[in-house]
Amino acid sequence: MAIQSQSTVSLPTSVTQSTQSLLNRKVSTEDSLYHICLTIQKRLELLPQIRPYLNLAHASSELLSERQALLLSQKQQLSQQHHRSVGSAMSGNSGAAGVKNGLDRRISSLSASSFNEDPEASSISVEETVVTFSMGILPISMDCDPVTQLSQLFQQGSPLCIIFNAVKPQYKLPVVSSDDLKICKKSIYDFILACKKYFTFSDEELFTISDVFSNDTEHFIKVLDVVKTLMDSAPQVLPQIPVEHIKWSNTDRGKVVREFIETERKYVYDLEILNQYRNQLLQRGIINSEELYMLFPNLSDIIDFQRRFLISMEINGQVDPSKQRIGALFMHSKHFFKLYEPWSIGQNAAIDFISSSFDKMAGSDFVIGNKLELQSFLLKPVQRLCKYPLLLKELLQQAKDSANYKELELAWEISKSIARSINENQRRTENHEVVKKLYDRVVNWKGYRIAKFGELLYFDKVAISTGNGNESEHEFEVYLFEKIIILFSELVQKKGNSISLKKKASSASTITLQHMSGSGNNLNSHGSSGDSKLDLRGRIMIVNLNQVSPIDNRSLSIIWESPKEQGNFVLKFKNEETRDNWCSSLQSLLRQIRSESLKSSNSDRSSFSSNTYYPHYSMNSINSSQNRRISDVLPKQHTHQSFENEYRSISENYRTSIPESTLLVRISYQNDFYTVLVEVDSGIDNMLQIVKRKLTHVGNISKIKYQDEDGDYVMLESEDDWNVVKDMLRESSERILNVWAHA
């Protein structure tokens, strides 16, 4: 009799269902690996000759659970010692402890401090702490999980032969009980050969000996599929037993736990669907390996982890709420949630790829046959990670009197941190695309280099005022980068292809800005097309910010100070959450700048307003036809200070005497100063030749640098560099260029 070995464990009848029904399918205990193993275990107990092996498997599984608890305890103790947060050390030799001591370790092994991921903090890796098929620490009333117990049963070899003999008594296999690994493997080998010979399993449908001893859930399921198929072929010997109905608690906490477990089952089921679709693409060779990873990064590892996570949740759902260890589960799982990082980063790219290439990925026999449904499946991992904080918050509210409240509280913090990390990865990916578009949208960058702004943090349409109650607000597109806040006004196309400002501010208000600001990805929702041209209207350097503080419900007050000027302005956002994100980011940047300043100059913020003169360029108000800006340039080397002091001595009469078609280039070389006149229309080669000719007597000049508006010293060596310099001077109405020459 030939038996089809279609998987009956991980993904029952999924191929025959439509994609829509898969998305909406209600998942029950029959789809849970935990309950499937419980049911198989009960069916096997009907065979008297296999019961001793089940008892032995239970004992070995219990030892593995204790070992996992011990490893977690040791890792935490070592981490605490590394960070000197806890002075007590764990007893070094607990291997001979009995079950009672093991249970005590479960209670204390994860205390109110989370795992530290520093590899130097412990010689035990997080992966080494997973020795069972469940995550975390079992509740005190549970000895082991049924999945690990069945795995230990199959590794004995003899039980597989007993199952085969019960199903096919006419082809009996020898049953040799031994703890010798070679004999166990020989029994497994006999079982595999018999299945292939008498049940016509193909090599692809069968498992290998190494699969039996693997700690991977995928390999275990392959073994379980074959065993279950054999058992189902002999219902008269091993009758079907319905999965036991769970009696959920009707308390508020019980309802939250039920929702947690049922939604987790559905999530794991959806991952199985996604994995089956990936395997279909892989087997057909439809897309290459890079595209496959882009669509399903770390999917195999994620499924393996989430199966274990669900097994632990199922176990906790079976015990009294006072004994649940859901918090410890999250503390153990913290490291494994990092598997999702490439998923969150590449999600937008995956969706775009599906939109353009799904036609070649479709097939009538594929488990997923619709573009929109595939996109929905790909969104589920990120959605699930963002759901955990909500579920844990509800659970926390119902567990205030629980002995494990601290664990749950830490689990909630871990889940929020994971969700923030996911959102941050997605925001950075989206912002990267925004910056690329922004480069082309701005009509005139006025000498600024977007590559020097640092990372784009936020961007949004923001109403800005000076805080004067008599002054009206004006809306700008504001971009917050790591080093600068920048303001733009949208331009509209007029007839004759001329461009004008879409909205001009009145000349009554004056705001001086020093740093560019990023948006919060809300521009489109506020009416911007995303492709319209922009006019740079103002900027403020982060280094010039003095104070950032929230006011009202959704406004942010910013006080700035430069060597020559000071002022304040108010940003009004669309909602309080956006305001808080900007406020937190700006305050973090300020702390970082002040910390770096103290380290580099051994002085406090007063050094920014010292008597030393720094070049300062200003423009008119952002509300006038010409933008107002402040460039607070801090020289990197003390030797430049004398040059800056001499720069002050140039009289206004001398400045105005410079011809309009000419620039005065002032050269600093080893504390000496030289001046040359260079035509504005001349090229970089001509300018460099004039400078080097002036310094012929000092030898060969190899480098010439200028100081840009961010205070950085930039090599002047290409035509593009020269054009940036001229734009910078033209924008600030300056006729004098300061350069530093190096031999």
Side-chain angles (χ1 to χ4, degrees):
M1 177 179 65
I3 296 178
Q4 299 298 322
S5 63
Q6 177 180 327
S7 173
T8 56
V9 175
S10 59
L11 198 59
T13 65
S14 61
V15 178
T16 60
Q17 300 183 32
S18 68
T19 305
Q20 187 61 40
S21 65
L22 287 175
L23 275 173
N24 299 326
R25 182 182 184 275
K26 183 175 176 60
V27 177
S28 66
T29 53
E30 296 178 357
D31 304 291
S32 168
L33 181 59
Y34 171 85
H35 289 284
I36 290 172
C37 288
L38 268 183
T39 303
I40 290 178
Q41 179 182 320
K42 291 178 181 179
R43 293 175 67 186
L44 290 176
E45 288 173 352
L46 298 175
L47 298 176
Q49 61 270 42
I50 211 172
R51 290 173 188 168
Y53 298 96
L54 280 170
N55 293 335
L56 183 60
H58 183 277
S60 59
S61 300
E62 186 177 2
L63 287 176
L64 287 175
S65 297
E66 297 301 331
R67 181 186 170 199
Q68 182 163 304
L70 176 61
L71 287 171
L72 292 174
S73 177
Q74 288 176 335
K75 181 167 180 61
Q76 187 194 25
Q77 291 285 345
L78 291 171
S79 297
Q80 290 173 342
Q81 290 174 12
H82 178 76
H83 293 280
R84 298 180 180 178
S85 58
V86 175
S88 60
M90 181 182 177
S91 175
N93 183 13
S94 52
V99 174
K100 182 179 184 301
N101 291 336
L103 294 178
D104 291 339
R105 283 197 300 272
R106 289 191 204 168
I107 298 174
S108 61
S109 60
L110 286 179
S111 66
S113 60
S114 60
F115 277 109
N116 183 280
E117 306 300 341
D118 188 346
E120 297 180 357
S122 171
S123 59
I124 305 172
S125 69
V126 180
E127 289 78 7
E128 290 175 331
T129 63
V130 183
V131 296
T132 71
F133 283 98
S134 61
M135 298 295 298
I137 298 172
L138 294 178
I140 194 170
S141 57
M142 302 291 286
D143 297 327
C144 63
D145 68 86
V147 185
T148 302
Q149 185 176 353
L150 280 187
S151 175
Q152 292 296 302
L153 178 71
F154 299 151
Q155 288 178 21
Q156 297 176 50
S158 300
L160 292 175
C161 296
I162 293 174
I163 295 171
F164 181 89
N165 293 341
V167 175
K168 286 285 188 181
Q170 65 272 35
Y171 304 111
K172 284 197 173 183
L173 299 175
V175 178
V176 182
S177 300
S178 175
D179 56 1
D180 188 318
L181 185 59
K182 291 183 179 179
I183 296 177
C184 295
K185 289 184 176 181
K186 177 61 169 59
S187 297
I188 296 171
Y189 178 73
D190 291 341
F191 175 82
I192 294 172
L193 285 183
C195 287
K196 188 174 182 180
K197 181 177 181 180
Y198 299 111
F199 285 90
T200 64
F201 281 100
S202 66
D203 290 336
E204 292 75 18
E205 293 167 331
L206 285 168
F207 55 86
T208 65
I209 295 176
S210 60
D211 288 338
V212 179
F213 293 92
S214 172
N215 191 31
D216 188 292
T217 56
E218 188 69 25
H219 297 156
F220 171 77
I221 288 174
K222 287 182 66 177
V223 180
L224 196 62
D225 275 341
V226 174
V227 172
K228 189 173 186 299
T229 301
L230 262 64
M231 295 172 63
D232 292 344
S233 69
Q236 69 283 2
V237 179
L238 295 165
Q240 293 284 352
I241 297 178
V243 177
E244 185 176 347
H245 179 70
I246 299 177
K247 296 180 180 179
W248 298 103
S249 170
N250 288 325
T251 63
D252 291 338
R253 177 169 179 170
K255 292 176 182 178
V256 176
V257 172
R258 178 177 182 176
E259 180 188 1
F260 207 139
I261 294 174
E262 289 182 344
T263 54
E264 189 68 24
R265 287 178 193 154
K266 182 64 170 74
Y267 173 55
V268 173
Y269 181 86
D270 290 338
L271 288 179
E272 303 280 9
I273 295 285
L274 207 53
N275 190 43
Q276 184 170 346
Y277 178 71
R278 184 196 65 166
N279 291 336
Q280 289 175 328
L281 294 177
L282 182 63
Q283 292 166 4
R284 308 286 177 88
I286 293 176
I287 58 178
N288 60 44
S289 58
E290 291 183 0
E291 293 169 336
L292 203 64
Y293 184 80
M294 176 191 64
L295 289 173
F296 316 105
N298 292 341
L299 182 57
S300 296
D301 292 334
I302 288 173
I303 291 179
D304 181 65
F305 160 64
Q306 291 293 164
R307 286 171 181 155
R308 299 172 192 268
F309 187 90
L310 175 58
I311 291 168
S312 298
M313 284 299 303
E314 296 275 16
I315 293 172
N316 279 279
Q318 304 299 308
V319 302
D320 185 84
S322 63
K323 299 176 182 178
Q324 291 173 351
R325 302 299 300 274
I326 296 175
L329 167 59
F330 271 86
M331 293 164 69
H332 188 197
S333 302
K334 177 181 177 181
H335 167 84
F336 297 93
F337 283 121
K338 293 181 180 180
L339 291 168
Y340 285 94
E341 186 169 319
W343 197 289
S344 61
I345 292 174
Q347 189 173 81
N348 290 340
I351 298 298
D352 292 341
F353 178 80
I354 293 171
S355 299
S356 61
S357 307
F358 183 78
D359 290 343
K360 68 177 183 179
M361 299 162 57
S364 58
D365 58 340
F366 279 10
V367 65
I368 298 177
N370 181 286
K371 180 191 302 184
L372 295 179
E373 301 300 341
L374 176 57
Q375 291 177 346
S376 297
F377 273 108
L378 290 179
L379 292 173
K380 287 183 178 294
V382 171
Q383 292 172 344
R384 186 58 183 174
L385 292 185
C386 294
K387 179 71 173 177
Y388 285 141
L390 303 178
L391 291 169
L392 285 170
K393 183 179 180 180
E394 290 185 47
L395 193 58
L396 199 61
Q397 291 172 345
Q398 306 300 328
K400 293 183 179 179
D401 298 328
S402 171
N404 295 319
Y405 181 82
K406 285 292 184 182
E407 277 187 2
L408 278 177
E409 197 171 38
L410 276 171
W412 183 44
E413 292 298 329
I414 289 171
S415 67
K416 289 193 295 182
S417 175
I418 293 165
R420 282 195 300 267
S421 177
I422 292 295
N423 291 331
E424 180 69 11
N425 288 336
Q426 290 188 318
R427 185 183 62 79
R428 287 185 174 184
T429 302
E430 293 168 359
N431 285 355
H432 180 70
E433 297 300 319
V434 169
V435 170
K436 290 197 295 186
K437 292 181 180 179
L438 180 65
Y439 182 81
D440 295 324
R441 290 181 64 197
V442 178
V443 174
N444 182 4
W445 279 101
K446 302 176 181 177
Y448 292 111
R449 294 183 179 183
I450 197 170
K452 291 193 172 186
F453 297 163
E455 182 183 345
L456 174 62
L457 303 178
Y458 293 103
F459 63 96
D460 209 340
K461 277 197 172 180
V462 181
I464 300 182
S465 68
T466 58
N468 186 343
N470 298 324
E471 181 186 325
S472 60
E473 299 173 347
H474 304 285
E475 191 174 66
F476 295 91
E477 287 194 18
V478 185
Y479 289 72
L480 170 61
F481 290 83
E482 287 179 309
K483 296 182 179 180
I484 191 169
I485 303 173
I486 195 163
L487 279 67
F488 298 100
S489 289
E490 189 176 345
L491 298 173
V492 293
Q493 197 77 20
K494 280 190 171 183
K495 293 182 180 180
N497 293 328
S498 62
I499 296 178
S500 65
L501 289 177
K502 183 176 182 180
K503 182 187 291 185
K504 288 192 176 182
S506 68
S507 58
S509 63
T510 58
I511 305 175
T512 306
L513 299 175
Q514 298 168 322
H515 193 81
M516 294 182 69
S517 152
S519 89
N521 297 15
N522 296 323
L523 293 180
N524 289 340
S525 63
H526 301 324
S528 173
S529 66
D531 296 322
S532 59
K533 294 298 182 180
L534 299 175
D535 179 54
L536 196 159
R537 302 287 286 165
R539 55 91 175 167
I540 180 169
M541 304 301 297
I542 295 295
V543 72
N544 286 336
L545 298 185
N546 196 359
Q547 182 178 341
V548 177
S549 55
I551 57 174
D552 301 330
N553 292 329
R554 50 191 177 90
S555 298
L556 196 61
S557 173
I558 296 180
I559 300 175
W560 58 268
E561 181 180 359
S562 74
K564 282 192 174 182
E565 300 180 70
Q566 61 182 14
N568 71 287
F569 58 96
V570 175
L571 305 178
K572 180 176 287 187
F573 298 91
K574 301 298 180 182
N575 54 66
E576 186 175 356
E577 181 182 2
T578 303
R579 188 275 309 273
D580 291 344
N581 288 336
W582 281 61
C583 182
S584 175
S585 183
L586 283 167
Q587 289 175 344
S588 176
L589 290 173
L590 277 179
R591 287 192 297 269
Q592 181 180 349
I593 289 172
R594 289 167 181 168
S595 175
E596 291 175 354
S597 175
L598 287 172
K599 290 178 181 178
S600 62
S601 61
N602 196 26
S603 63
D604 58 17
R605 186 174 173 80
S606 63
S607 63
F608 287 103
S609 56
S610 66
N611 294 327
T612 304
Y613 176 81
Y614 303 115
H616 172 76
Y617 310 104
S618 64
M619 298 175 63
N620 295 331
S621 165
I622 59 173
N623 303 305
S624 63
S625 60
Q626 193 177 20
N627 301 333
R628 187 179 186 187
R629 62 183 176 80
I630 296 175
S631 179
D632 185 11
V633 182
L634 299 179
K636 301 293 188 299
Q637 301 180 25
H638 182 71
T639 56
H640 296 155
Q641 181 173 332
S642 59
F643 180 33
E644 306 297 354
N645 289 333
E646 184 170 336
Y647 173 58
R648 285 187 298 173
S649 64
I650 299 177
S651 67
E652 286 301 318
N653 290 334
Y654 183 75
R655 289 171 181 268
T656 56
S657 68
I658 302 173
E660 292 186 2
S661 61
T662 306
L663 294 177
L664 176 67
V665 180
R666 305 190 71 249
I667 311 162
S668 170
Y669 179 78
Q670 295 183 351
N671 294 326
D672 290 327
F673 305 97
Y674 309 87
T675 59
V676 294
L677 292 175
V678 178
E679 293 294 325
V680 174
D681 296 334
S682 63
I684 182 65
D685 292 336
N686 183 46
M687 192 280 293
L688 293 176
Q689 187 177 6
I690 293 174
V691 172
K692 291 179 180 180
R693 189 185 304 129
K694 183 72 174 180
L695 301 177
T696 302
H697 65 285
V698 301
N700 184 37
I701 300 299
S702 61
K703 297 178 182 178
I704 296 178
K705 296 182 179 181
Y706 75 97
Q707 195 174 32
D708 68 8
E709 294 180 323
D710 296 335
D712 297 326
Y713 291 90
V714 182
M715 288 284 292
L716 192 55
E717 54 187 355
S718 69
E719 204 66 47
D720 288 340
D721 296 332
W722 182 229
N723 289 332
V724 168
V725 169
K726 290 189 286 187
D727 287 342
M728 179 181 70
L729 296 176
R730 187 183 304 112
E731 179 188 346
S732 57
S733 301
E734 275 293 343
R735 312 300 301 282
I736 301 174
L737 172 65
N738 304 298
V739 299
W740 286 261
H742 304 271

